[in-house]
Amino acid sequence: MPKTIDAGALAEHRSKEREVFGLANKLRDFANHTFRLRSSIDTAATGVLSTIWTSPEMPEKAVWRVSAQIVGRATSGGAAVVTADIYALFYRELAGSVTQEDVTYSASTPIATVAGTDADIVISGETILVQVQDDGTREFSWTAVVSVLESA
């Protein structure tokens, strides 16, 4: 005769299963040397690049592919939205400084743009910065999801 499981016990097992899957995904990311972070910043209509994310110090003998998916929304001076999907490759030799391989690339054509806005990935000392720029006439609220893939 088949065994039956009551609905409460079944729900508890499903909840534990979801927790295990979440942990497994985090372990997979760790093993693949990747991490993701969501970061936000408001800019004050300055028209200059502002840092939305700063990496930890890049280790020696590392190679990083840094990508950022960015959205911005004007919070003053009229409606405007901006998107950017950018990436760049960096490396650091033993006892060397961080170097960017080639340039920062756009992964896709932006869905929305506003003249004067910008996004970039740059080096600052031994760290990497993701930066955004408003158009100089409107304040913007920015959000970025930054991913780093590291070669072992």
Side-chain angles (χ1 to χ4, degrees):
M1 183 151 138
K3 184 178 179 181
T4 60
I5 300 175
D6 71 87
L10 186 59
E12 182 180 337
H13 287 293
R14 285 186 184 143
S15 175
K16 288 180 182 177
E17 186 178 76
R18 278 191 220 99
E19 289 177 25
V20 169
F21 284 141
L23 178 59
N25 285 334
K26 287 179 183 180
L27 288 172
R28 183 178 17 246
D29 281 349
F30 179 75
N32 290 332
H33 300 273
T34 63
F35 67 89
R36 288 182 195 82
L37 176 72
R38 183 173 184 226
S39 186
S40 298
I41 189 175
D42 293 328
T43 55
T46 60
V48 298
L49 288 167
S50 300
T51 300
I52 191 170
W53 177 81
T54 303
S55 76
E57 186 174 306
M58 188 174 192
E60 293 178 340
K61 300 192 314 182
V63 177
W64 285 359
R65 182 189 190 274
V66 179
S67 59
Q69 296 174 308
I70 301 167
V71 294
R73 176 183 55 85
T75 56
S76 71
V81 293
V82 179
T83 64
D85 189 359
I86 56 177
Y87 65 94
L89 184 66
F90 301 90
Y91 63 92
R92 183 175 180 195
E93 298 296 343
L94 186 61
S97 57
V98 176
T99 303
Q100 182 171 353
E101 184 71 26
D102 211 8
V103 298
T104 300
Y105 291 94
S106 180
S108 61
T109 302
I111 296 168
T113 61
V114 173
T117 61
D118 196 11
D120 204 358
I121 304 173
V122 298
I123 298 169
S124 176
E126 306 308 328
T127 64
I128 310 297
L129 309 177
V130 175
Q131 298 183 317
V132 293
Q133 176 180 308
D134 60 43
D135 64 359
T137 60
R138 292 175 272 216
E139 296 173 352
F140 273 77
S141 179
W142 301 91
T143 299
V145 174
V146 180
S147 299
V148 177
L149 175 62
E150 180 177 11
S151 174

